């Protein structure tokens, strides 16, 4: 049986829209930091992963959710995010 992203913790890291406009970092302590365009830390808050679903609550109380389609693709808020892979050679 294939493990969920919750089990693998594969969600931790940077998630980016194809155009790079939105960058959402899911931190290990169940916090996130989202940049929009030139606005660093535009939104911050907490998240919880359950199975392949993610639930957000920003620091103002706004809530949202999303779905991990696979280990490298997240659908959230009408956007598609892709897991940013760091080049190990740097």
């Amino acid at each position: 049986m294939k493990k969920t992203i919750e089990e693998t913790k594969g969600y931790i890291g940077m998630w980016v829209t194809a155009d790079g406009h939105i960058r959402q970092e899911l931190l290990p302590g169940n916090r996130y930091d989202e940049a929009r365009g030139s606005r660093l830390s535009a939104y911050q808050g907490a998240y919880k992963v359950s199975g392949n679903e993610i639930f957000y609550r920003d620091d103002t109380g706004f809530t949202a959710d999303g779905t991990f389609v696979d280990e490298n693709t997240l659908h959230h808020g009408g956007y598609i995010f892709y897991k940013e892979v760091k080049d190990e050679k740097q």
Side-chain angles (χ1 to χ4, degrees), residues 10-86:
Y11 54 85
I12 295 172
M14 186 66 74
W15 294 82
V16 184
T17 55
D19 63 4
H21 183 72
I22 305 173
R23 301 178 57 80
Q24 185 180 87
E25 186 171 14
L26 299 179
L27 302 164
N30 294 91
R31 296 281 301 166
Y32 72 90
D33 190 337
E34 183 176 301
R36 294 215 173 201
S38 62
R39 283 184 60 203
L40 302 179
S41 299
Y43 300 97
Q44 295 175 314
Y47 70 87
K48 179 181 179 179
V49 175
S50 179
N52 289 320
E53 304 294 317
I54 185 167
F55 304 92
Y56 300 88
R57 181 180 182 92
D58 77 12
D59 291 342
T60 69
F62 178 78
T63 61
D65 58 31
T67 302
F68 293 98
V69 177
D70 59 40
E71 63 188 25
N72 294 306
T73 312
L74 167 62
H75 290 186
H76 162 60
Y79 296 96
I80 300 173
F81 291 81
Y82 301 96
K83 181 90 182 264
E84 185 174 81
V85 179
K86 291 184 180 181

